[in-house]
Amino acid sequence: MNFLDQIWLIPLFPALGFVINGLFGKRMPKAAINTVACGSVLLSFVYALGAVLGLIGLEEEARSHTVTVFEWINAGAAHTSGGELAQFEVSWGFLLDPLSAVMVLVVSGIGFLIHVYSTGYMAHEDGYYRFFAYLNLFMFSMLTLILGSNYLMLFVGWEGVGLCSYLLIGFFITKRSAGDAAKKAFVVNRVGDWGFSIGIMLIFFTFGTLEFTGVNEAIHAGVEGGLYHAGDMIFVVIAFALFIGATGKSAQLPLYVWLPDAMEGPTPVSALIHAATMVTAGVYMVARSNFIYQLAPSAMLLVAVVGALTALMAASIALVQNDIKRVLAYSTVSQLGYMVLALGVGAFAAAIFHLMTHAFFKALLFLGSGSVIHSVHHEQDMRKMGALKNKIPITFATMAIGTLAIAGTPLLSGFFSKDEILWRTFSNPQGNIVLYGIAVVVAGMTAFYMFRMLFMTFFGESRVDPHVNVRESPKAMTIPLIVLAVGAVFAGYVGLPVWIAETNTFEQFLEPVFEPLPFEAAAAGGAVSEVVEYSHAFEAAMAAFSVLIAFIGFFVAYSMYFKKSNRARELATQYKGAYQVLLGKYYIDELYDFLFVDRSKSFGTRLWRFDATYVDGAVNRSAWATVKSADVSGWWDRWVVDGAVRFVGGFVKTFSWPVRLIQTGYVQNYALMMILGVLVLIGYVFWV
Amino acid sequence: MLELIVFYTFATVAVVSAILLITRQNAVHSAIFLAATLLSVAGVFLSLHAEFLAGVQVIVYVGGILVLFVFVIMLVPTDRAVFERRYNRQGKVALAVAAILVAELGYGLYSGRDIEFAGPVAETVIEGNSQWVGTVLYQNYLLPFEIASILLLVAIIGAVVLSKKPPSEEQARQTAGNSQGAGD
Amino acid sequence: MGAFFQIQDLAAIAPELVLTIFGLALLLLDLIVPDKRRLGYFALAGLGFSGILLFRLDGVDISAYGGQLAVDPFAAYFKFLFLIAAGLTIGISVRYLDIEREQHGEYYALLLFATLGMMFMAGGTDLVTLYIGLETMAIATYILVGFLRGNQRSNEAALKYFLLGAFSSGVLLYGMSLLYGISGSTNLSEIADALTRRPVADPISLLAMITVAAGLFFKIAAVPFHQWTPDAYEGAPTPVTAYMSVAVKAASFAMMVRIFMIAIYPLRDQWVPILAAVAVMTITVSNLAALTQTNVKRMLAYSSISHAGFVLLGLIAGNDTGMTAVALYLFVYTFMNIGAWSIIVALRRRDVIGEYVEDLNGLFFKHPTAATLMLVFMLSLAGIPPTAGFVAKYYLFASVIETGHVTLAVIAALNVAVGLYYYMRVVVAMFMSEATEKTGLTLSPGLVSVLAITLILTLFIGLYPDPFITMAQTATQGF
Amino acid sequence: MDFYRTHILTIVAFLPLAGAIALMFFNKENKGGIRIWANLVGLAGFLVSLPLFFWFDYDISGEMQFAESVPWIDALGVQYSVGIDGISLLLVLLTTLLGSIAILSSWESIQDRSKEFYIFMLMLQTGMLGVFISLDFFMFYVFWEVMLVPMYFLIGVWGGPRKLYAAIKFFLYTLVGSVLLLLGILSLYFQYPAIAAAVPEIANEFGSGYTFNILAFQAMAQYLSFDIQYWVFLVFFVGFAIKVPMFPFHTWLPDAHVQAPTAGSVILAGVLLKMGTYGFVRFSLPILPEAAVHFRPHMITLAIIAIIYGALVAMMQKDMKSLVAYSSVSHMGFIMLGMFALNPNGLNGSILQQINHGISTGALFLIVGIIYDRRHTREISEFGGLSTIMPVYATVFLIMTMSSIGLPVLNGFIGEFTILQGALQENLWWAVAGASGIVLGAAYMLWLYQRMMFGKLDNPANEKLPDMNLRELVTLVPLVILAFWIGIYPAPFFKALDGPVNKIVETVRPGYFDANPLEVRNDAGAVPIAEILEPALEIGSGGGDNN
Amino acid sequence: MVPVYHYLFLGIALFTIGVVGVLTRRNVLIILMSIELMMNAVNINLIAFSSQLQHVTGQVFAIFVIVVAAAEAAVGLGIVIAMFTNKATVNVSEIDLMKW
């Protein structure tokens, strides 16, 4: 059977699963629910696999397959900005091309694993069926997002995943904080969607279509025809608008505040939605729109800067978190920052590459942390853990792998992808040394906080509450961990850098999607910006450098949290100077000062506070502001608008009295009125 | 010239007694001055060669209406009225109004005096004012005349109905009782 | 020099003659018949008979009594209207008079004579005829208003009405005398000719115009000549109030149309602004005053004032639409207003005055049908479709818009809303307040049939006004 | 059958009235019978209207179909004349559906004086249908006002504590508007004969005498002088804007909504408000095109104010009903925005959004009513954590919330997006401002949902609340289905709207559909942002057609 | 021959006096008399005009006016009596049961 023409089924299976579990789940046994939930996702994974294989079977330039199911919106004619008459038509269309191929595999695959994991993790929660219904709904939306053949379909999935994250974050409905977090997530995302939708409309207004392929062709044609030039205002605006959406979904500055709170949700949710898949939607969308971004260099620069800053900030915050999930959350933000940075420097393939590998190890880490939390009975504070490595070996092993991977240990997936990004940042024309520097620093911090987490959790002496007897998690949870660990190790090998393999197969695979616009043709032999060529050796050296940085990070963490877990404090108090000499790193020195001059207030905590009070507070304050303004407008409503009416009413009432007071009841007053009336009338006709 | 004198004598009498009419405290005196006014008006009619009208004026008004008034005045004890205020509160206003009224009417009529009252051709003159009036009355104004008879009938019925004693005694007493309350 | 009296002139006034005969007969029967109610039905018969004769004059358009009287569709239309009004009034009077212990034959006789006077007001084309007709009506009405001799309010109402009426008729007469002076004739059309010959805006004609207008304004109760209305309406026996608010108004309007559209038509440019001002004042002032009334009779009195103001709009427009509007409005008003009044009449019981809004409280729970009827009448008075009131108001607005008096139209339109407010107070009392033990009705066959007739016509005209519109149009073609 | 097919509109419109009249003869104690009969009539009303959907010829959706015309008042040239095009089709169906649902929803909540209640409901139904099917302006006006009375009673008799105030406020506001509307109608009416005399083809089609024929008025649109259009548009604006309600005139809405009984609110939000927008689409735009274009900026401004303002005020409401009420203000703002974008997308979206608003807001009022029946309070603070004990309720509530904040795959999204798309084609900032309403919408609706559904079930009064029963479910399921239908496959609806909308656009902006030369773009090089940011507001630019 | 407007002025005078009487006096009987004065003013107008126009229509009209005056007087006095029997007063200032 030909999977390619049935890609529309891929999202459909989870949808069915959702319907079944949602409607009848309440009366179904757990086993049935599991089969439906996991089965449907597995099915779509199989279909995805088949379809992707089918796609690879095609020759390179034909690797873009659109399936239109039926017409969706047809809202009549419209004028495009160019003045032509376009038809606002959107259809339920699905597109499979290398980009969506990668995404669909990652999503359905990891999604399946997490479903399996959840059967174990959620076993004792009530609302079991609800949980899986939501998960399936999420899978449906995410797959639609990925496979949609036009921006509106993308938007459908986009909003769908937003809804699901809302539902899943708020899954523990009795927790007020969960509800708040859920709402915050949705509303903040809505702000992003606002920009996104404007962007979509502008796209239609400019190109008269919303189909990716259509827009792509239009742009290529336009560039070749010398009609569009890089830097045209309209494209900058569109790119900017779209990016607002991306910042919302992918938790970039300034809209990243919702993601840490989102950890209120069950851990598998954090793993699936807030690490592996949904949060990468923004990255995917920007990559999707690469043709537009190529036309808007200034927007590209903005993207890169935002990405870099986000990465830095999040990483620095993560340095000092004690909640295991928050560490991972901030790490996710920072990794997303990497991807966005990559997008910004035009390394779309690299971004997607990192997206893929990150999906593996971050999912792994989250699930691992979930397993830890599960085993210590829902304790998330790392200060109440420690020395767990023997009690839960599988979890430990897998998490160690994940940590190594994310830290960029050579030959693990994270190494390849991250290094690709670093290299691109350095070498690409859009990139520059500053961004590169930031990226490197972040790499170091990443290593630090990840190992810090590892040590605090699994090494040192146990700080676990003695009454808790720690047990390894059930198979349903460990097996996915193992599978993911394998992925975390080997996922990187699909895209070996050119200084190892002769070609980067991954980039090559994505080439048709990310082909650069033919500016040369447009420039017509004009000055072609020549790209600096670097030798492979140099590239390798750079890679080595980044590894070194990561190792430094690891070493700092090791020295402070592994050997003796309170050594840091002692050092800080007693041998501060020696400590500085020992790690003669200037800025880390600063960092330490901040960390230990005052117990409660560390730099990170400060940053975190900053986050909590200002950035987050800004959201709250704006909420407050809206409420206030709502107050004002309500006041206006009650007193001015309505008041005007009531004034008329009162006016009528008040003037009804004098009118009645003429009515004295004395007949001669009446006669007087009459004669006066006559006089006035006569006077009028005579003299007026 | 003579006519002028005649007219003005009658006119002055009429106006003066009219003023006295509305200024006397006692209704009986007013009635007497009303008679004076009506008679002098009749005189004016005479001076206008409307003899028949003058007659009607004397008979109907002085002989009829005025007598009616006097009867009622007798019927209604006015002694109480003697010690009361004569005018209501709006006297001054009324005078102002009167002034304006005079001004406006006077202005109107005086400034319009030169526009001659162009009527249709005069009717065929019939000897003797009475015959003439009679002819016109019974030929042109027959219909109003008939209606007038109904009008008078209605008036009679009305006078009878209204001056009959109220239907039920207790109702009358009760209303009279609360009239004291409402009165002052 | 008018023609002499011919015998066929009697045929021209056959309906009036019949009424006269029945009136006189009533006075005699009053002495013999013990059960006075019979007299009521006898009077009804007289009205019916006269109505039949009226139909025999249908389509006739002649001038009788040497130009004293016109027997034309206009006159016929209004005479018909008066007869209906009188009939309905008798229908609601019989029981009422029993309750008031004032059951007398004179009542019905006076009613007939008043109607007679009105018929001459509608038909007269000569100042004298009009004036005598007017006075006949007026004097009869004075008596009817004061008919409850034992009741101080009735006396007071009668006195006020009479004094002011006499006063105003003095003013009216003064104007008529001037009209006679400037034209040398009392015939309306000849007056018109004379006025056309005279220079425009000559002071005497203007004086005449204003004084005559003032007299008529008093009769139709236009501001500032309206103040007698609430008092007289409140004090008078309720059926008489109903009769006055409908028939007297209609008759005065008929006379007004004759005078304004024939006699002083040459002065139209002068009187339109005056009418406009008076109309606006009338509508607004009366509506404002009505807002805070607690006595339903007074409230309806003010409402009838405002309706008069609305009718004036038609006269202001002065074209065919306008005239039709006047005729149609008065016709419709007759039914909806008498309908409303009959409910008030029904509220009157031996122990309950039944004039206050509270007396209507929760009427719906005790007498759903009556309440619903009242609702229909109120909506009709407010001018909400699909009731007759809407069609009538529609026609007025149409005429005013057609002649381009937009401002007038807007003011009137806003007043419709104000009007709705106080009509709805009655509805609120009936439907949305709890019933008290005072709440209750006395129904009689006459009353019920009157309610039925008025309701049916109010709705029927609202849903299918076509025949009535054509009727009104034919009636007012002369102008 | 054939008779039915030819007179279907009349039957649809007057069946409820007939039912009401029949109901008058029921004994008022026989509550059960009354209830059942009323529901039967309501259902029948919906069923008889269904064939319209199938018999309607979508290829000529711009033409008036199922037309009937009988002389009514010859003296005025008034006719009883009905017919529907695509727009009215949808509104009629919406009305019949919501009507039957509203009646069903009152099964338990209306106990006292149920007979009158149902009579008024059915009369109201006829009134509203009449408004949507009238092709004669006089007739339209009659229905337009007739429908006020039953609504007045529904609020005033069965309403909440401040029912009297709300009822009279509703009545007065609307009456003021509609009387002015009448004046506007009249001035058009007197315009007609002159124009008919001047333009033979109009005279040939609609006769030369006075007429109230709406189509005739639309035909004479282009011959109306601008002054006439200007003034008539103003009065029409007052008349319709009060009904919509647009920003300054909206204050009657919250009162009416909050005080009205559930069924009343459903009808009020679902259908009555649409009469205002319908008026704009059917009369203001096609009959007064120039004025419409002239007043466009003002209308848009008001619309945008309404969007944001309504949302802000909704955010501070403590009573869920008034929250939903203010959200309607915001949504109606969207509708007006799309309408006065004056291009196909905007108009299509705007009209579809009218339907959507009817569905989602109607459903929300039902939902509020359900909880109100159980607890007799609408204070949001009274509730919390309901989803644990009322899962079905929570689910339906969630779906409708999402539909109202415009989540894709649900109906609201389609409307809002097309509206904004249309607005953006005219002026970027309109779209930007409008879209911000979506964010706020999410904020207040989710706030409501979260406060009621999430959190602990801390209020003891709520512990025993039963979940939705079958009847309540039945009232909501059709709306849910419709919400998904429109969200996933709105094509048939757009098809119904395409014809009439294109007609309107053609009248208001002649030559809109002439494709424009590409040169415009070529010599302009890349599209300058300025052209998007502030296209001049008069016809021609922005749209870019060359007159 | 006296110019007609002399008579008219006499009419004005009487009319105004009548008005003043109506407006100011509290005794209802005197008010009635004042009204009679107004009627007389009208009659003077009519007669003056008729003699000036050389025909008697005015006089006929005047007769009718007198008739009406008589009728009004009769009814008016009747009302006064009815009033008096209920509420022993002839003061219009005391007649204010109904107001506003």
Side-chain angles (χ1 to χ4, degrees), chain B residues 104-105 107-109 111-113 115-120 123-124 136 138-144 146-148 150-151 153-155 157-159 161-168 170-172 175-176 178-180 182, chain C residues 1-5 13 20 24 27 65 68-69 100-102 104 106 110 113 116 120 126 128-129 132-133 135-136 139-140 143 146-147 149-152 174 178 181-186 197-199 202-204 207:
Chain B
E104 286 184 344
L105 293 180
Y107 166 83
L109 295 182
S111 59
R113 72 190 187 284
I115 310 164
E116 96 292 357
F117 298 95
E123 301 154 2
T124 51
V136 174
Y138 293 118
Q139 285 181 354
N140 304 21
Y141 292 93
L142 179 59
L143 179 66
E146 287 165 350
I147 308 170
I150 306 287
L151 173 65
L153 175 65
V154 170
I157 303 167
V161 168
L162 290 171
S163 42
K164 264 195 293 184
K165 272 252 153 287
S168 63
E170 38 83 22
Q171 198 174 348
T175 42
N178 59 30
S179 81
Q180 302 308 6
Chain C
M1 190 72 201
F4 290 80
F5 164 73
I13 59 164
T20 325
L24 298 170
L27 293 175
Y65 286 96
Q68 291 286 333
L69 187 71
E100 298 284 357
R101 297 206 191 75
E102 289 282 4
H104 303 292
E106 298 92 346
L110 287 168
F113 288 133
L116 184 66
F120 285 112
D126 183 291
V128 179
T129 319
I132 297 291
E135 282 299 331
T136 321
I139 290 179
I143 303 162
F147 204 78
R149 284 152 301 153
N151 177 336
Q152 278 193 35
Y174 195 86
L178 290 182
I182 57 186
S183 65
S185 161
T186 55
R197 285 201 303 279
R198 292 175 71 82
D202 105 70
I204 300 188
L207 271 184

Side-chain angles (χ1 to χ4, degrees), chain A residues 204-550:
Chain A
F204 176 80
F205 183 52
T206 317
F207 305 107
T209 174
L210 286 178
E211 294 291 320
F212 297 131
T213 50
V215 178
N216 194 2
E217 284 151 15
I219 285 183
H220 278 83
V223 170
E224 271 156 10
L227 179 54
Y228 299 153
H229 313 85
D232 286 341
M233 194 58 191
I234 176 68
F235 303 114
V236 179
V237 173
I238 295 178
F240 181 67
L242 292 181
F243 185 59
I244 295 176
T247 50
K249 207 45 107 193
S250 291
Q252 298 300 295
L253 278 172
L255 297 182
Y256 70 96
V257 286
W258 62 273
L259 186 51
D261 296 14
M263 295 306 139
E264 293 288 349
T267 310
V269 172
S270 317
L272 176 59
I273 298 182
H274 306 119
T277 56
M278 180 187 94
V279 288
T280 61
V283 179
Y284 167 76
M285 186 262 281
V286 175
R288 216 4 127 191
S289 324
N290 62 77
F291 31 76
I292 295 175
Y293 279 88
Q294 292 183 47
L295 278 170
S298 43
M300 291 279 272
L301 182 59
L302 176 76
V303 174
V305 171
V306 168
L309 291 182
T310 314
L312 182 60
M313 178 166 198
S316 53
I317 296 170
L319 292 177
V320 292
Q321 294 303 307
N322 289 323
D323 179 320
I324 184 166
K325 284 183 71 178
R326 282 197 175 275
V327 175
L328 290 173
Y330 278 108
S331 124
T332 311
V333 176
S334 114
Q335 295 302 312
L336 287 167
Y338 265 123
M339 301 175 205
V340 175
L341 170 63
L343 295 172
V345 298
F348 300 105
I352 299 299
F353 188 29
H354 191 59
L355 186 157
M356 181 183 76
T357 55
H358 173 262
F360 280 101
F361 54 69
K362 186 51 64 67
L364 169 60
L365 285 167
F366 261 112
L367 295 187
S369 70
S371 164
V372 173
I373 295 166
H374 190 259
S375 58
V376 297
H377 295 202
H378 299 285
E379 178 52 67
Q380 299 196 3
D381 189 340
M382 293 190 288
R383 282 165 304 189
K384 298 205 174 55
M385 297 179 185
L388 294 174
K389 71 174 185 306
N390 303 325
K391 300 205 185 69
I392 44 175
I394 307 176
T395 312
F396 166 63
T398 49
M399 274 195 87
I401 294 173
T403 312
L404 289 170
I406 192 174
T409 321
L411 306 182
L412 295 186
S413 60
F415 168 71
F416 296 115
S417 56
K418 188 187 291 182
D419 199 54
E420 186 66 19
I421 292 176
L422 291 175
W423 170 244
R424 289 293 182 185
T425 316
F426 179 77
S427 66
N428 269 24
Q430 298 95 329
N432 62 45
I433 191 69
V434 182
L435 295 173
Y436 176 75
I438 297 176
V440 170
V441 170
V442 171
M445 293 165 112
T446 312
F448 172 81
Y449 64 71
M450 285 314 295
F451 281 105
R452 171 172 171 272
M453 183 198 83
L454 197 67
F455 296 145
M456 284 182 77
T457 316
F458 292 99
F459 296 90
E461 73 277 10
S462 170
R463 299 177 298 276
V464 182
D465 172 359
H467 307 85
V468 179
N469 65 327
V470 183
R471 269 183 287 89
E472 178 60 278
S473 308
K475 291 256 173 304
M477 291 167 67
T478 48
I479 290 171
L481 285 177
I482 295 163
V483 179
L484 283 170
V486 175
V489 175
F490 297 106
Y493 288 86
V494 299
L496 291 174
V498 283
W499 51 273
I500 297 175
E502 67 286 353
T503 59
N504 184 330
T505 47
F506 190 79
E507 274 183 27
Q508 195 183 12
F509 179 61
L510 290 175
E511 186 58 30
V513 187
F514 297 135
E515 64 179 311
L517 295 176
F519 288 117
E520 296 71 12
V528 181
S529 57
E530 81 290 343
V531 182
V532 195
E533 287 303 331
Y534 297 99
S535 69
H536 291 343
F538 181 67
E539 193 175 342
M542 296 294 285
F545 173 62
S546 64
V547 173
L548 175 66
I549 298 294

Side-chain angles (χ1 to χ4, degrees), chain A residues 546-617:
Chain A
S546 64
V547 173
L548 175 66
I549 298 294
F551 179 74
I552 293 171
F554 158 77
F555 180 75
V556 175
Y558 174 80
S559 57
M560 297 185 56
Y561 295 94
F562 180 71
K563 286 180 171 162
K564 222 155 148 289
S565 55
N566 61 352
R567 160 123 182 247
R569 200 167 301 137
E570 290 172 3
L571 275 177
T573 44
Q574 296 158 14
Y575 314 109
K576 186 191 288 176
Y579 190 55
Q580 280 174 335
V581 176
L582 186 59
L583 323 132
K585 269 281 186 238
Y586 159 69
Y587 70 92
I588 296 199
D589 189 51
E590 298 283 345
L591 181 68
Y592 274 36
D593 281 345
F594 273 115
L595 268 170
F596 301 111
V597 164
D598 176 289
R599 276 203 182 79
S600 61
K601 285 203 229 99
S602 69
F603 177 54
T605 348
R606 284 243 187 101
L607 278 183
W608 183 58
R609 286 276 167 69
F610 172 78
D611 170 24
T613 42
Y614 295 96
V615 189
D616 195 1

Side-chain angles (χ1 to χ4, degrees), chain D residues 337-361:
Chain D
L337 174 62
M339 187 181 301
F340 277 85
L342 296 182
N343 55 30
N345 295 357
L347 273 162
N348 275 319
S350 149
I351 298 161
L352 188 64
Q353 186 66 2
Q354 295 180 28
I355 310 298
N356 297 338
H357 178 261
I359 293 168
S360 48
T361 311

